[in-house]
Amino acid sequence: QVQLQQSGPGVVKPSQTLSLTCAISGDSVSSNIAAWYWIRQSPSRGLEWLGRTYYRSKWYYDYAVSVKSRISINPDTSKNQFSLQLNSVTPEDTAVYYCAQDKTGAFDIWGQGTMVTVSS
Amino acid sequence: QSVLTQPPSASGTPGQRVTTSCSGSSSNIGSNTVNWYQQLPGTAPKLLIYSNNQRPSGVPDRFSGSKSGTSASLAISGLQSEDEADYYCAAWDDSLNGVVFGGGTKLTVL
């Protein structure tokens, strides 16, 4: 059974970088049939897809237009995990951040969520 | 403002059948499959329906989904108190090249 365990700080200062990690158990980040996502949720923006990475003989990355200039999602095959980095954060980036797996064309498995507050 | 449009609220009594809708456009629902998620208070969303009408293992057959044109619907029959939650629809959007969500429907079991 696949499980996703998120880790990372709950508070980030404005203009700094938000970094979160999603550790995978029960599957491989290099799976040829899965994709790995970051999604966030806030009262003002609702659920918002941020981006994904997946492996199909090589690594692919897709990012939401709203964050494309500031985001990076990176797989770490040695630790079987993937990470989110969001640069130059503002209070608008305050949200609950989720990682998720897609094997059916939907978000089948979700991480537990991490509340991240952008505040000095 | 969410790309997919859902009514903000719905309600029903135990045992009743309730439906909620999700409206989109040709670039999302009109050309891709729809997924539905259930979010209980304080928890992560959970996949309820995928590919318009498929239930993951463990999801009761009281939950069903359908799609027609640029709209989709989620139906819950035999409503139970534990169904009280927020329900979100989602689909891939070819124009935005990403997943779009509805704003969610809060279901109250009276």
Side-chain angles (χ1 to χ4, degrees):
Chain A
Q1 183 176 345
V2 179
Q3 290 188 318
L4 303 177
Q5 181 68 38
Q6 299 177 219
S7 60
V11 179
V12 181
K13 289 181 167 44
S15 80
Q16 295 196 342
T17 297
L18 180 161
S19 296
L20 296 174
T21 298
C22 183
I24 304 163
S25 58
D27 206 335
S28 170
V29 71
S30 304
S31 165
N32 275 297
I33 59 172
W36 309 96
Y37 287 75
W38 286 99
I39 299 152
R40 67 183 178 184
Q41 184 176 30
S42 66
S44 59
R45 301 168 75 99
L47 283 164
E48 182 182 11
W49 173 84
L50 296 177
R52 66 178 178 179
T53 186
Y54 57 97
Y55 185 76
R56 303 288 185 270
S57 302
K58 69 174 187 175
W59 288 101
Y60 291 86
Y61 307 89
D62 293 305
Y63 300 125
V65 171
S66 60
V67 295
K68 194 165 189 174
S69 63
R70 302 190 289 130
I71 191 173
S72 178
I73 295 177
N74 294 297
D76 183 341
T77 56
S78 65
K79 295 181 179 178
N80 201 33
Q81 63 187 30
F82 63 106
S83 64
L84 167 69
Q85 286 200 308
L86 189 63
N87 303 322
S88 306
V89 297
T90 71
E92 285 257 306
D93 295 309
T94 293
V96 178
Y97 285 75
Y98 295 101
C99 60
Q101 178 199 50
D102 166 5
K103 266 186 162 177
T104 59
F107 303 128
D108 314 291
I109 305 293
W110 294 65
Q112 80 275 23
T114 302
M115 178 67 214
V116 178
T117 301
V118 178
S119 173
S120 54
Chain B
Q1 192 82 357
S2 300
V3 175
L4 304 181
T5 301
Q6 297 183 251
S9 63
S11 63
T13 56
Q16 200 173 19
R17 181 177 187 270
V18 297
T19 63
T20 189
S21 62
C22 176
S23 177
S25 68
S26 58
S27 63
N28 42 65
I29 294 178
S31 51
N32 296 291
T33 58
V34 178
N35 306 311
W36 290 89
Y37 301 91
Q38 177 193 59
Q39 187 174 33
L40 299 170
T43 68
K46 168 194 164 187
L47 180 62
L48 201 61
I49 297 287
Y50 68 98
S51 294
N52 302 328
N53 54 19
Q54 302 299 301
R55 283 185 309 277
S57 173
V59 173
D61 59 6
R62 302 186 296 106
F63 295 91
S64 62
S66 63
K67 186 185 104 166
S68 178
T70 59
S71 293
S73 291
L74 172 70
I76 309 172
S77 60
L79 196 62
Q80 300 180 3
S81 58
E82 56 259 40
D83 298 334
E84 192 161 281
D86 294 324
Y87 293 85
Y88 295 91
C89 58
W92 185 267
D93 190 295
D94 293 333
S95 297
L96 297 173
N97 197 36
V99 177
V100 292
F101 290 93
T105 296
K106 185 175 186 63
L107 174 64
T108 301
V109 181
L110 303 169

